[in-house]
Amino acid sequence: MKLVIHGKNIEITDAIREYVHQKIEKAVNHFQSITNEVDVHLSVARNPRISTKQAAEVTIYASGSVIRAEESSENLYASIDLVADKIARQLRKYKERRQDHKTQPIPTNEVVVAEPVADTLIGDRSPELPGKVVRTKYFSMPPMTLTEAQEQLQLVGHDFYMFRNAETGEINVIYERNHGGYGVIQPRNGNRQTNGKNDKTGQGNVAMPEKSKD
């Protein structure tokens, strides 16, 4: 198992490195058969208004899936303890889902909320770009179904998840809607419609977020 440690605004000392190895390796010990790589990102916020300044983020690449957990507190070692416990629970859920997949099919008819295609994602708001790119992530994007993408969304702990649709071959985004359920954003072609392969309503299977959660 490959374990990589990164730091932001913090020096990764030998003591910190040893503690991370001890806690994270213990957390994934029973899941090494499905774990390919573990990425640990430690950071300290410089903003004095943030009380939980010391954060630990763990990303695990497991058999084509990505599992992520993040915790923060006033103490880095405490954050590492918290994130180790959390990632162990995530791995347990992931393994249980894999076992369930082998015994029974998972329904997919309630994953996507179909809504009319909107002309823009931002509505009446003025577009604002961040001053600079502060972090870049690279990951493989194997084709997957909407159900598999929904499960990945739950595993990474984000509000949205980008994936390659196994049915269309296109890049889609599945996200949690503010009022419950999930929506999917798909590309549309020159006639302002989606490709229609997943469209069950005749309107184009695109669900737009009501507001940004960022």
Side-chain angles (χ1 to χ4, degrees):
M1 180 187 67
K2 181 181 179 182
L3 194 154
V4 181
I5 305 174
H6 308 275
K8 179 181 179 182
N9 299 331
I10 183 176
E11 179 185 356
I12 306 298
T13 64
D14 291 340
I16 293 176
R17 189 179 302 275
E18 181 179 352
Y19 195 79
V20 169
H21 275 272
Q22 175 187 346
K23 290 296 182 177
I24 301 303
E25 288 179 356
K26 181 179 179 180
V28 304
N29 181 54
H30 298 296
F31 309 98
Q32 290 193 24
S33 61
I34 60 174
T35 302
N36 303 323
E37 180 179 339
V38 181
D39 183 280
V40 180
H41 185 80
L42 308 177
S43 62
V44 176
R46 292 179 175 176
N47 189 341
R49 297 181 179 179
I50 301 177
S51 58
T52 54
K53 296 181 178 180
Q54 321 240 6
E57 176 185 340
V58 176
T59 304
I60 293 180
Y61 302 92
S63 303
S65 297
V66 179
I67 304 166
R68 175 185 170 276
E70 181 177 3
E71 290 289 347
S72 59
S73 68
E74 297 180 359
N75 181 278
L76 182 62
Y77 289 92
S79 298
I80 294 171
D81 289 342
L82 291 170
V83 80
D85 291 340
K86 188 173 183 178
I87 202 68
R89 293 194 300 270
Q90 292 284 74
L91 281 168
R92 191 176 302 111
K93 291 179 181 178
Y94 171 71
K95 189 174 182 179
E96 290 172 354
R97 285 199 184 104
R98 289 188 64 189
Q99 293 173 344
D100 290 341
H101 277 230
K102 296 178 181 178
T103 58
Q104 61 183 0
I106 297 178
T108 62
N109 58 342
E110 295 184 358
V111 174
V112 180
V113 179
E115 298 177 357
V117 178
D119 292 331
T120 176
L121 289 173
I122 62 175
D124 297 330
R125 293 175 295 162
S126 299
E128 296 182 3
L129 296 176
K132 62 179 179 178
V133 176
V134 296
R135 191 175 181 189
T136 302
K137 291 185 178 180
Y138 300 92
F139 58 95
S140 61
M141 194 175 289
M144 63 178 62
T145 64
L146 290 175
T147 297
E148 292 170 337
Q150 180 192 15
E151 293 177 352
Q152 286 299 306
L153 173 64
Q154 296 169 349
L155 288 172
V156 299
H158 286 311
D159 296 333
F160 68 92
Y161 182 78
M162 182 179 293
F163 68 101
R164 186 179 300 278
N165 192 309
E167 183 177 352
T168 66
E170 295 177 335
I171 303 300
N172 291 178
V173 176
I174 185 170
Y175 64 92
E176 293 186 6
R177 303 177 72 242
N178 293 333
H179 301 297
Y182 298 88
V184 171
I185 300 176
Q186 299 177 328
R188 58 187 176 190
N189 55 31
N191 64 3
R192 301 175 64 82
Q193 297 294 325
T194 63
N195 56 38
K197 293 185 179 180
N198 287 329
D199 187 2
K200 299 179 182 179
T201 65
Q203 295 175 318
N205 195 12
V206 179
M208 297 318 213
E210 294 85 351
K211 63 180 181 179
S212 173
K213 299 177 66 176
D214 187 11

